[in-house]
Amino acid sequence: MPASQSRSRARDKNNVLNRAEFMSLNQPLKGTQEPKSFGRRPNSQAGSAPAPSEGSKERRHSQQLPEEDCMQLNPSFKGIAFNSLLAIDISISKRLGVCASNASAWGNARSMISLIGLTGHGVPWIGGTLICLVKSSTLAGQEVLMNLLLALFLDIFIVAGLQKLAKRKGPYDISPGLLDYLTMDIYAFPAGHASRAAMVSKFFLNHLVLAVPLRILLVLWAFLVGISRVMVGRHHITDVFSGFVFGYLQFRLVELMWMSSNTCQMLISMW
């Protein structure tokens, strides 16, 4: 045993690689995979430290908006019913838009249907009322015409405000005409022509003495004006129905604001 130990010591001394200038050759390289793996562990541990904070932020964010997530995943019955009614309204309105373009089913009758809708426009009614007011010579006629003029302007401003709030577009992409821009009748809800037709017809039925056939024709005219706007693709059915309702409400408002004959004469004299 002592002899073998002495031989190994002598062999180590005679080995060239054991010299000081060759000691680095016996050591493993610094760029090997093993040191890299050891070197990456601290980094991975250091990088994983903020992970809990990120996870906690996500948990906090999910806890802040649980109701919105629940509403998206589990919509309420009212929301489902409302969306279903809107879908039905759009579908039926598109089917009734038979004059939306010249290539539609009733494209040849588009001009005639548009002319019916034009009879409910605000510009012809305001112009006609002003002409009648200038030619009227009776106090009762001037009183009725002045209040009708008030109702027409009230209808334009109320409908324009409601359309600006709703900003609902029609079933077809049809740009408004020049007269529509003049009366600010740009959007679909509520239908301005329908509200004006309902308001004017109710106004005439209350303040003019008309025969029964004329009264029936007046109601039929208001209905045709409303349905014509659906046929040309400018409004939905609900827009027209809402227009009829707002037209009646505007009539009731004008009745509450009714100007007396003296007030009307004072306004006429200011012209």
Side-chain angles (χ1 to χ4, degrees):
M1 290 294 293
S4 62
Q5 289 179 358
S6 60
R7 288 175 189 170
S8 62
R9 288 174 187 172
R11 196 180 299 113
D12 293 337
K13 287 179 181 180
N14 296 328
N15 191 0
V16 180
L17 296 176
N18 288 332
R19 296 180 182 178
E21 57 270 23
F22 298 107
M23 286 294 291
S24 60
L25 297 176
N26 294 330
Q27 297 178 359
L29 295 175
K30 295 181 180 180
T32 56
Q33 294 180 356
E34 195 170 344
K36 279 186 180 179
S37 62
F38 285 106
R40 284 176 186 172
R41 285 177 187 173
N43 295 332
S44 62
Q45 291 175 358
S48 63
S53 62
E54 294 177 359
S56 62
K57 288 181 180 179
E58 292 179 358
R59 289 192 208 98
R60 289 174 187 170
H61 183 69
S62 62
Q63 289 175 358
Q64 288 175 357
L65 303 173
E67 295 181 359
E68 294 183 4
D69 296 337
C70 292
M71 288 297 292
Q72 293 175 0
L73 295 175
N74 300 316
S76 63
F77 175 76
K78 291 182 180 179
I80 295 174
F82 181 73
N83 293 331
S84 301
L85 290 176
L86 282 181
I88 294 172
D89 178 33
I90 294 172
S91 177
I92 297 177
S93 300
K94 285 189 174 183
R95 289 185 179 182
L96 292 177
V98 292
C99 301
S101 64
N102 294 328
S104 301
W106 291 12
N108 296 329
R110 178 176 171 80
S111 300
M112 184 182 66
I113 301 300
S114 299
L115 184 61
I116 295 174
L118 186 62
T119 60
H121 205 283
V123 173
W125 275 103
I126 292 176
T129 304
L130 288 174
I131 293 173
C132 293
L133 185 61
V134 171
K135 292 186 176 182
S136 178
S137 58
T138 61
L139 296 178
Q142 292 175 355
E143 179 183 353
V144 172
L145 289 171
M146 281 296 295
N147 284 280
L148 177 60
L149 192 64
L150 171 65
L152 291 172
F153 279 110
L154 192 66
D155 171 76
I156 289 175
F157 289 119
I158 290 177
V159 170
L162 292 173
Q163 287 186 357
K164 200 70 175 178
L165 290 175
K167 291 185 178 181
R168 188 187 188 189
K169 296 183 179 180
Y172 292 92
D173 190 10
I174 299 175
S175 58
L178 178 61
L179 294 178
D180 295 329
Y181 281 108
L182 289 176
T183 56
M184 298 174 287
D185 189 7
I186 301 173
Y187 295 101
F189 179 87
H193 291 66
S195 68
R196 197 168 301 111
M199 185 266 298
V200 169
S201 61
K202 182 63 177 174
F203 187 93
F204 284 168
L205 290 174
N206 270 44
H207 297 286
L208 295 181
V209 179
L210 300 173
V212 175
L214 291 178
R215 299 173 76 89
I216 294 174
L217 286 176
L218 194 60
V219 175
L220 183 62
W221 165 77
F223 174 77
L224 290 177
V225 168
I227 198 65
S228 68
R229 302 300 288 171
V230 179
M231 294 177 69
V232 297
R234 281 284 283 120
H235 296 281
H236 303 87
I237 295 177
T238 53
D239 301 334
V240 172
F241 179 76
S242 302
F244 288 150
V245 173
F246 282 114
Y248 176 77
L249 294 177
Q250 289 166 10
F251 165 76
R252 301 303 302 176
L253 181 61
V254 171
E255 290 293 306
L256 294 175
M257 299 169 57
W258 187 267
M259 296 184 295
S260 63
S261 179
N262 294 332
T263 305
C264 293
Q265 293 302 314
M266 182 185 66
L267 293 174
I268 292 173
S269 62
M270 292 173 62
W271 288 0

